[in-house]
Amino acid sequence: MIYPKILEELIEYFKKLPGIGEKSAERLALSVIESSEDDIKMFSKTMIEAKKNLHPCTICGNLTTEKICSICDNEYRNNKLICVVEDYKSIFAFEKMGKYNGVYHVLNGLISPINGITPYDLNIDGLLNRCKKEENIELIIALKPSIEGETTTQYINKILEKTKVKVSRLSYGLPVGAELDYLDSLTLERAFEDRKNI
Amino acid sequence: MIYPKILEELIEYFKKLPGIGEKSAERLALSVIESSEDDIKMFSKTMIEAKKNLHPCTICGNLTTEKICSICDNEYRNNKLICVVEDYKSIFAFEKMGKYNGVYHVLNGLISPINGITPYDLNIDGLLNRCKKEENIELIIALKPSIEGETTTQYINKILEKTKVKVSRLSYGLPVGAELDYLDSLTLERAFEDRKNI
């Protein structure tokens, strides 16, 4: 064993984190033991508190330390416009965009028969309840462009077909800055299908 | 603020680690809060214990939880062959190589007048004492090929000039697998100077 046992253990913990390989884990572990004991204690405390205090918003499923998240609780946001997302991480991506003024609904997954995930495993009932509570609800389904994403989109659209809820999905097409000759054919096909009049 | 405050704080801690940017810090923080509370507690405990228990070996300066590190304490290693390194991280690199059977000496830095680091700030006295204690000591100076590294190498060589201690340094030259046309001229120059008869 090259490293002292306790350091080896610390490296193992870092290696469990996403995107951290052997080399990075070693670098991170060594940098930790080079920081002050107070810093390490504060870091640990923050990790444990974040884990303890963060839970899903009772309305939309976003991460929050309160009962209702800061987005649902914001009276300046349009709560008749609901963006339906797979998980709370998508919310952060949309919030960074900074152009969306509606609220969100987290499904906690996508329909995937191959992995045994049915519509009943997702937070679709919660979505239907929200659609019933208010009038003139508009849904923007923002799921990833995969078989599971599309199945889930179609499923939600289907069950809301006979209601007055307006449903749209994000457009498929060219990502900004893409080189056309490097794009996969499926993306190009979608960009053709979803083409827009100018 | 896009993230809940406690999550934002956790992201800030991860951003302080080397090689971790905004995006990676977010990913790491989210992955932490998705692991179990027990795992987070064990991770924290390991960090704090590593910090508390790891300290320099009293002989060579390597990281250890004991008084003397596992390398100095290993009777199968040649303690008359001492590899002089800048910091304990270099020891890990040499140990990974797996071909070196001597011991080490950590200087804790390099001579750097521009940064106000003089020979007296380094653990050179400790090295001299080790050279005096035993006979037929051989030093391999393994410092980085920079002005500071070379100054320190020359300094150590100079003060040992009149003793019987044999001093060598690592060779400079082409790194294995390098493309000659991409190498900098200084490395090529050194490879010429240090050329070896075949």
Side-chain angles (χ1 to χ4, degrees):
Chain A
M1 189 142 55
I2 291 171
Y3 296 105
K5 192 167 161 286
I6 185 89
L7 187 56
E8 198 83 52
E9 280 173 29
L10 187 55
I11 292 169
E12 284 306 312
Y13 275 107
F14 274 108
K15 265 164 70 182
K16 284 184 195 162
L17 295 175
I20 303 295
E22 181 81 34
K23 271 264 177 195
S24 309
E26 287 169 13
R27 204 170 161 208
L28 294 176
L30 290 174
S31 114
V32 160
I33 58 166
E34 280 174 0
S35 24
S36 76
E37 205 172 317
D38 283 349
D39 273 355
I40 298 175
K41 279 184 182 160
M42 279 305 296
F43 178 36
S44 299
K45 206 180 144 215
T46 310
M47 277 202 296
I48 293 168
E49 278 191 5
K51 176 66 189 175
K52 265 191 191 152
N53 297 329
L54 289 169
H55 46 73
C57 164
T58 49
I59 298 177
C60 73
N62 186 14
L63 268 193
T64 178
T65 49
E66 313 295 326
K67 195 164 169 260
I68 291 167
C69 78
S70 58
I71 296 171
C72 291
D73 203 32
N74 184 339
E75 55 178 310
Y76 296 105
R77 297 194 72 134
N78 178 0
N79 68 354
K80 290 182 185 290
L81 181 62
I82 303 178
C83 178
V84 178
V85 293
E86 178 183 347
D87 54 28
Y88 60 78
K89 289 175 198 168
S90 307
I91 297 184
F92 301 139
F94 285 112
E95 287 301 292
K96 274 185 194 162
M97 179 181 72
K99 303 264 173 159
Y100 177 67
N101 196 38
V103 293
Y104 295 92
H105 186 86
V106 175
L107 291 178
N108 285 324
L110 297 173
I111 299 171
S112 170
I114 211 166
N115 295 312
I117 303 171
T118 69
Y120 307 105
D121 298 313
L122 308 182
N123 185 16
I124 291 178
D125 272 350
L127 181 63
L128 297 183
N129 285 337
R130 288 177 78 181
C131 290
K132 274 179 209 156
K133 254 187 205 161
E134 296 262 359
E135 291 206 351
N136 301 324
I137 289 281
E138 183 179 343
L139 293 190
I140 301 172
I141 306 190
L143 303 176
K144 66 170 164 239
S146 65
I147 295 180
E148 289 81 7
E150 294 206 29
T151 310
T152 314
T153 304
Q154 292 307 331
Y155 179 85
I156 295 171
N157 189 42
K158 185 90 190 158
I159 52 174
L160 290 170
E161 223 171 25
K162 285 172 191 161
T163 66
K164 279 181 182 166
V165 177
K166 201 180 148 194
V167 183
S168 62
R169 65 154 169 80
L170 293 192
S171 67
Y172 298 143
L174 316 176
V176 175
E179 298 283 345
L180 286 185
D181 42 349
Y182 280 106
L183 274 177
D184 59 302
S185 346
L186 214 54
T187 300
L188 282 180
E189 199 184 313
R190 293 297 169 78
F192 266 97
E193 282 171 10
D194 275 15
R195 69 186 175 277
K196 223 177 147 180
N197 291 325
I198 44 176
Chain B
M1 190 141 56
I2 290 171
Y3 297 105
K5 191 165 162 287
I6 184 87
L7 187 55
E8 198 83 50
E9 280 173 30
L10 187 55
I11 292 170
E12 284 305 313
Y13 274 107
F14 274 108
K15 265 163 71 181
K16 285 182 193 162
L17 295 174
I20 304 294
E22 181 81 36
K23 271 265 177 194
S24 309
E26 288 169 13
R27 203 170 161 208
L28 294 176
L30 289 174
S31 113
V32 160
I33 58 165
E34 280 174 1
S35 26
S36 76
E37 206 172 316
D38 283 350
D39 272 356
I40 298 174
K41 279 184 182 160
M42 280 304 297
F43 178 36
S44 299
K45 206 180 145 216
T46 309
M47 276 201 297
I48 293 168
E49 280 192 3
K51 175 67 188 175
K52 265 191 192 156
N53 297 329
L54 289 169
H55 47 73
C57 165
T58 50
I59 299 178
C60 74
N62 186 15
L63 268 192
T64 178
T65 49
E66 313 296 325
K67 196 166 168 263
I68 290 167
C69 77
S70 58
I71 296 170
C72 291
D73 203 33
N74 184 340
E75 54 178 311
Y76 296 107
R77 299 193 71 134
N78 178 0
N79 68 354
K80 291 183 185 286
L81 181 63
I82 303 178
C83 177
V84 178
V85 292
E86 177 182 348
D87 54 28
Y88 61 78
K89 288 175 199 168
S90 307
I91 297 185
F92 302 140
F94 286 112
E95 287 301 292
K96 274 184 194 162
M97 180 182 72
K99 302 265 171 154
Y100 178 67
N101 196 38
V103 294
Y104 295 93
H105 187 85
V106 175
L107 291 178
N108 285 325
L110 298 175
I111 299 171
S112 171
I114 210 165
N115 295 311
I117 303 172
T118 70
Y120 307 103
D121 298 314
L122 308 182
N123 185 16
I124 290 178
D125 271 350
L127 181 64
L128 297 182
N129 285 337
R130 289 177 76 181
C131 291
K132 277 177 206 156
K133 255 188 206 162
E134 297 260 359
E135 292 206 353
N136 301 322
I137 289 280
E138 183 180 343
L139 294 190
I140 300 171
I141 306 191
L143 303 176
K144 67 171 164 238
S146 64
I147 294 179
E148 289 81 8
E150 293 204 31
T151 310
T152 314
T153 303
Q154 293 307 330
Y155 179 87
I156 295 172
N157 189 42
K158 185 92 189 157
I159 52 174
L160 290 170
E161 225 172 24
K162 286 170 189 163
T163 67
K164 278 181 181 165
V165 177
K166 200 181 148 195
V167 183
S168 62
R169 65 156 169 78
L170 292 193
S171 66
Y172 298 143
L174 315 176
V176 175
E179 298 282 346
L180 285 185
D181 42 350
Y182 281 106
L183 274 177
D184 60 301
S185 347
L186 213 54
T187 300
L188 282 180
E189 198 184 314
R190 294 297 169 79
F192 266 97
E193 283 172 8
D194 274 15
R195 69 186 175 278
K196 222 177 145 179
N197 291 326
I198 45 175

